[in-house]
Amino acid sequence: GAGVSQSPSNKVTEKGKDVELRCDPISGHTALYWYRQSLGQGLEFLIYFQGNSAPDKSGLPSDRFSAERTGGSVSTLTIQRTQQEDSAVYLCASSPLGGNEQFFGPGTRLTVL
Amino acid sequence: DQQVKQNSPSLSVQEGRISILNCDYTNSMFDYFLWYKKYPAEGPTFLISISSIKDKNEDGRFTVFLNKSAKHLSLHIVPSQPGDSAVYFCAASAITTPLVFGKGTRLSVIA
């Protein structure tokens, strides 16, 4: 069956522009997670959705970052007024209800010039 | 403050020998631990997990050991194969927290 998909796979943008990253989780998975991995760093938790609600937004690094999830499925991570330090690979993962294992997408590589 | 630490950024092992990847954690509330493997330009893939009620879990060539008193876990790969070359992430979770990942260890298996 289809895994987690993310789009675009690569995004190059200019500093100050807004970007939207999309995640399509595995069908039926209730939980959805966003992480980012900066060069030389581990996976940094950003936000977590259970259904359409986000009980844990503690990882969002600033108010320039926001995310939404609609219909318990697709999620969009939006970064406003991008900065060079936002350059990273943004990974999305989903898991079924009650599941501990997360299934990851291939990531979106964001480069802010 | 890192709750999950992988202190070795890289490890080189000869093909056929044992690879041992280590992970330490600080949060005593963590009760479920996972290892993920990541190839370049791909997302992490789940490898093996262990719950805090066990001290060992084995799946083929992969075994994870958990020492709760030391807050330490390790992943053993034996025998190591060139295809095992990847970055390995340790992750931990508790009921109230999402997965917390370490920074990863890059394993190189040399033929």
Side-chain angles (χ1 to χ4, degrees):
Chain A
V4 177
S5 61
Q6 292 185 245
S7 60
S9 55
N10 273 287
K11 176 72 178 177
V12 180
T13 190
E14 291 179 348
K15 178 181 169 181
K17 294 282 178 76
D18 298 351
V19 295
E20 280 190 359
L21 312 179
R22 177 187 168 108
C23 172
D24 281 90
I26 292 172
S27 177
H29 280 194
T30 56
L32 186 147
Y33 306 80
W34 283 98
Y35 298 87
R36 74 175 175 183
Q37 185 177 16
S38 304
L39 192 63
Q41 300 297 313
L43 286 163
E44 176 190 0
F45 169 77
L46 298 178
I47 189 169
Y48 148 65
F49 287 92
Q50 185 64 256
N52 291 334
S53 64
D56 192 345
K57 302 180 183 178
S58 62
L60 293 176
S62 76
D63 58 9
R64 296 186 295 105
F65 287 72
S66 63
E68 64 175 18
R69 188 180 186 196
T70 54
S73 181
V74 173
S75 176
T76 304
L77 177 69
T78 301
I79 310 173
Q80 296 178 306
R81 306 180 302 281
T82 52
Q83 303 294 312
Q84 288 181 332
E85 62 263 28
D86 299 334
S87 297
V89 175
Y90 288 80
L91 288 155
C92 173
S94 68
S95 65
L97 183 66
N100 278 303
E101 179 187 336
Q102 295 180 14
F103 297 81
F104 283 81
T108 293
R109 181 175 298 276
L110 174 67
T111 304
V112 182
L113 301 175
Chain B
D1 182 31
Q2 265 197 293
Q3 296 187 70
V4 177
K5 298 178 186 178
Q6 293 177 257
N7 292 318
S8 298
S10 62
L11 175 68
S12 283
V13 171
Q14 272 200 310
E15 181 179 6
R17 308 293 280 264
I18 185 170
S19 295
I20 300 177
L21 297 104
N22 292 304
C23 178
D24 296 289
Y25 61 96
T26 58
N27 188 342
S28 58
M29 299 300 292
F30 286 145
D31 60 2
Y32 197 77
F33 305 88
L34 306 90
W35 284 93
Y36 282 83
K37 176 178 175 180
K38 186 181 183 303
Y39 292 117
E42 295 182 13
T45 56
F46 170 76
L47 193 56
I48 193 169
S49 64
I50 189 167
S51 110
S52 59
I53 62 173
K54 300 176 97 173
D55 54 19
K56 177 182 173 181
N57 188 25
E58 193 171 348
D59 183 2
R61 296 185 298 114
F62 302 90
T63 302
V64 56
F65 295 92
L66 175 63
N67 183 333
K68 288 186 291 293
S69 60
K71 293 194 180 69
H72 176 85
L73 67 155
S74 60
L75 174 68
H76 292 211
I77 307 172
V78 56
S80 302
Q81 299 173 354
D84 297 330
S85 298
V87 177
Y88 289 79
F89 289 97
C90 170
S93 74
I95 289 177
T96 56
T97 64
L99 283 178
V100 179
F101 285 84
K103 289 192 174 185
T105 297
R106 181 177 301 280
L107 173 66
S108 300
V109 180
I110 304 159

